[in-house]
Amino acid sequence: MSERELTMAEALNEALHGEMERDPGVFVVGEDIAQIGGLFQVTAGLLDKYGPQRVIDAPISEAGQVGAGVGAALVGCRPVVELQIADFVTLTMDQLVNHAAKWRYMSGGKVTVPFVLRGAVSSGIGMAGQHSQTLEAWFVHAPGLVVIMPSTPYDAKGLLTAAIRDDNPVVFLEKRLLYSRRGPVPEGDYTVPIGVADIKREGTDVTVACYSQGVHLALQAGRQLAEQGIELEIVDLRTLKPLDIETLGNSVRKTGRLVVVSEGARAGGVASEIVARIVDEAYDSLRTAPVRVTAKDTPIPYAAQLERAVMPQVDDLVAAVTGMLEPVAGS
Amino acid sequence: MTSASVVGAATLEELLLRMWRIRAFEIRAMELFEEKLIRGSVHPYIGMEAIAVGVCAALRPDDFITSTHRGHGHCVAKGLDLRRMMAEIIGREDGYCRGRGGSMHITAIEQGMLGADAIVAGSSALAVGAAHGLRLQGRDSVVVCFFGDGAANQGILHEACNLAAVLSAQVIFVCENNEWAISTPASASTRIANIAIRAEGYGFPGVVADGNDVEEMRAVTEAALVRARAGDGPTLIEAKSYRITAHSAATKVDLRPAEELDAWRARDPILQLSRKLVESGVDEARIGEIEAQARADVADAVEFALASPRPDPGAATEDVYAPADWNVLERLS
Ligand SMILES: Cc1ncc(C[n+]2csc(CCOP(=O)(O)OP(=O)(O)O)c2C)c(N)n1
Ligand SMILES: [Mg+2]
């Protein structure tokens, strides 16, 4: 039996169709999502099936869309708001951080905010400084939010389904360059559990913690390094909050070495947080200092060779791994 | 609104040349995008040339503008160098932003261009603050803030308008109502026919103008400039126009009805001005020369841009911060 393959955009679209069919309280809001099905077709076909009350082409008012989503969640709906480009989350930070993230806590646990905010992370294609940011660290830093970044079509469908069913506000970030990547996706409804990492490749030498596009960098580096006899263990975190520290910790206890790949900026980034968590969790197992492979601390420049220079590349990861193995070579 | 100044034929020819430069620039830019020499996107200003050219024709060189994702037209109208614009959007070192900004971020503060902004409505409050800052410095320079019909629904624009009103800031808000925001018609995102009426809610005048009539755009801007320089506060000009092309080189999906597009094509601002010039006695051949000159200027710009060096990847971490004593301590890696 040959497995059905879908692109990540198609897989996400199936998750939305499935949840809208299943639960009349699910509705989607965003810019250009209804009539044309979204710039990346993630919401294609929803308008025809579920109508304009549940599939809303909103005015360009991101703060309003997110705030309205939180309100609808408070009364029991499950809104999914799409940010055309993830960077536009900056316009919604008050509604997201001061409202979505803490309404439950401030109510003494009386209310829930089952709300999903999706957005396309658009680096790598020359969209420049205001359309190319990788901002997940901001949301990890806001207690009350769940943060998910899938790397495959299978995970994208299962995690988006889980996110919509979850009673917490979820920030769900989709790498634009992955939308067209294909992979096996089962028909029908399934979930991928939030907070569970996936070991993409088993290996004994170095653990690579990664997510989203970073997983694909790691898999490529893993193939290159295997030719030199270096075996990476690649852990796709999938969810950044909550973090599956158990799976990651077990891997580091096995390999004794950790590299973290993140396309976000370096200072105060997710990679730094993961290193800190591993130091807490598995310090005694570390044979070398953990290494972060991240974007540089700059805005994202337009010109191709500049963008490449500031974003983490496969070569950077390969160099990080070989660098950390050098001192103990031959031991 | 009648034209405040007598615009002679020579000046109208000059305005036509500027409009043609914008159009020729956009046509080449879209080709270069297809040839993969331009990354990201290009949002053509084709069909809207009369707005920027009319508004900027009324400005002094020491006046300022802020711009949008659809900003090339504003830059050309403000007198920026086509060569350095083209070098920027191709990502070369001689570009206005040394290849850092690209199509959506051309900035030339020395020429009164405070910056193009890819965040819809993002620069509206900047315009107000710039105007106030200029006044603090004793200058009567005015700041023009260009934004779209879609941008009119952003919260920051509301804040900027109200702030400009209470500060009596020397700002002119120019809403380029081209009826659509990507796939969303203005009629689906507001319940009012004229965005200009919102000005009343802020306590300053709102004017509806024909954005395809360069003389009218110039005239309404002149009136708003008089008000602003006198310290009487902002004006909102709503320029009714249309983009003749798809939203962008990267987003070609287009839901606009063919009849609507055809009707606006018939009102093409370049055609209208050309016709007017011919009616006033200008030779048809002269109109052709203007187009040819604009195309030659753009060809020269492309040649210049392609010969310009690519930025040095090693310099990618420069310019994140302004020079400061502590810079020596900062390691950006
Ligand atoms: C804050 C923000 N939201 C969404 C976008 C994506 N976007 C780019 S252009 C555009 C439409 C803008 O419409 P309008 O203001 O009417 O300008 P036009 O493109 O018609 O010139 C949208 C939604 C953006 N760049 N910034
Ligand atoms: Mg518009």
Side-chain angles (χ1 to χ4, degrees), chain B residues 48 70 148-151 176-182 184 243:
Chain B
M48 298 163 64
R70 200 177 300 289
D149 50 287
E176 303 183 314
N177 186 345
N178 60 11
E179 296 194 5
W180 290 80
I182 310 187
T184 307
R243 57 171 161 77

Side-chain angles (χ1 to χ4, degrees), chain A residues 195-261:
Chain A
V196 179
D198 181 31
I199 298 182
K200 279 275 182 298
R201 180 186 200 283
E202 293 195 22
T204 47
D205 295 320
V206 176
T207 297
V208 180
C210 49
Y211 55 95
S212 187
Q213 173 81 351
V215 174
H216 300 281
L217 299 185
L219 289 169
Q220 216 177 312
R223 283 189 292 272
Q224 283 183 30
L225 287 161
E227 288 167 18
Q228 303 167 37
I230 298 169
E231 298 298 336
L232 298 186
E233 177 140 306
I234 298 174
V235 181
D236 181 355
L237 299 166
R238 304 196 286 197
T239 304
L240 301 174
K241 184 91 160 270
L243 188 69
D244 183 356
I245 195 67
E246 197 180 312
T247 301
L248 187 62
N250 287 341
S251 175
V252 172
R253 277 186 278 273
K254 180 171 86 176
T255 63
R257 295 184 182 87
L258 174 69
V259 179
V260 189
V261 185

Side-chain angles (χ1 to χ4, degrees), chain A residues 128-129 300-303 306, chain B residues 88 93 97-102 311-312 315-316 318:
Chain A
I300 306 303
Y302 163 68
L306 296 177
Chain B
E88 183 57 36
E93 195 60 33
C97 315
R98 301 173 54 226
R100 272 63 172 173
D312 167 17
E318 289 173 1

Side-chain angles (χ1 to χ4, degrees), chain B residues 22-41:
Chain B
I22 294 172
R23 184 157 303 185
F25 188 92
E26 301 293 45
I27 290 169
R28 275 304 278 141
M30 284 195 293
E31 288 168 0
L32 293 166
F33 181 86
E34 293 305 323
E35 292 166 31
K36 304 215 181 317
L37 281 162
I38 294 173
R39 313 176 75 213
S41 198

